[in-house]
Amino acid sequence: MRESTIEKRLVARVKQMGGEVRKVSWIGRRGAPDRLVMLPARRLTDALDCAWCNPAGVAIWIELKATGKTAEPHQAREHARMRAMGQRVEVVDSFERVDEVLS
């Protein structure tokens, strides 16, 4: 499956969840992920209105690939650097993977 087809599915699912997707351009940095997915916070309860029961939203860096393709070595290195900084980075190459990452 083409990367563009998977991207359309990702964008549709994120919007369905009330989130936003940004295409990211990195100046002077090779291998960084293509997209930033921002999902709204999920309330743990409606019974209380307090800071600890209203967690922050979720940000996920997404590297899109055609089905069966993997990240290039320079991309994998950059993803590892980002993960070491506490960032969530995911490589997505199928509709199933889109659903898995967003669940």
Side-chain angles (χ1 to χ4, degrees):
M1 188 175 315
R2 295 176 61 151
E3 183 177 320
S4 60
T5 305
I6 297 167
E7 178 183 6
K8 287 176 187 170
R9 171 67 166 256
L10 173 71
V11 171
R13 287 277 290 121
V14 169
K15 287 185 184 231
Q16 188 178 51
M17 296 172 73
E20 297 282 339
V21 179
R22 298 290 186 264
K23 186 169 185 160
V24 183
S25 178
W26 298 77
I27 298 170
R29 199 84 194 155
R30 290 184 65 224
D34 314 290
R35 304 284 181 282
L36 173 60
V37 168
M38 299 172 288
L39 297 173
R42 294 182 188 167
R43 290 191 65 144
L44 300 177
T45 179
D46 287 326
L48 300 172
D49 186 22
C50 58
W52 61 268
C53 58
N54 294 311
V58 176
I60 310 167
W61 296 97
I62 304 285
E63 178 67 45
L64 290 162
K65 292 291 180 187
T67 300
K69 301 287 183 181
T70 59
E72 300 290 329
H74 71 283
Q75 292 173 318
R77 282 191 301 273
E78 184 65 16
H79 298 170
R81 285 184 196 110
M82 292 176 73
R83 288 182 184 116
M85 298 301 294
Q87 300 298 303
R88 181 175 173 196
V89 181
E90 302 286 348
V91 178
V92 174
D93 71 342
S94 66
F95 286 172
E96 293 79 19
R97 186 78 177 114
V98 167
D99 294 338
E100 183 181 308
V101 167
L102 297 178
S103 63

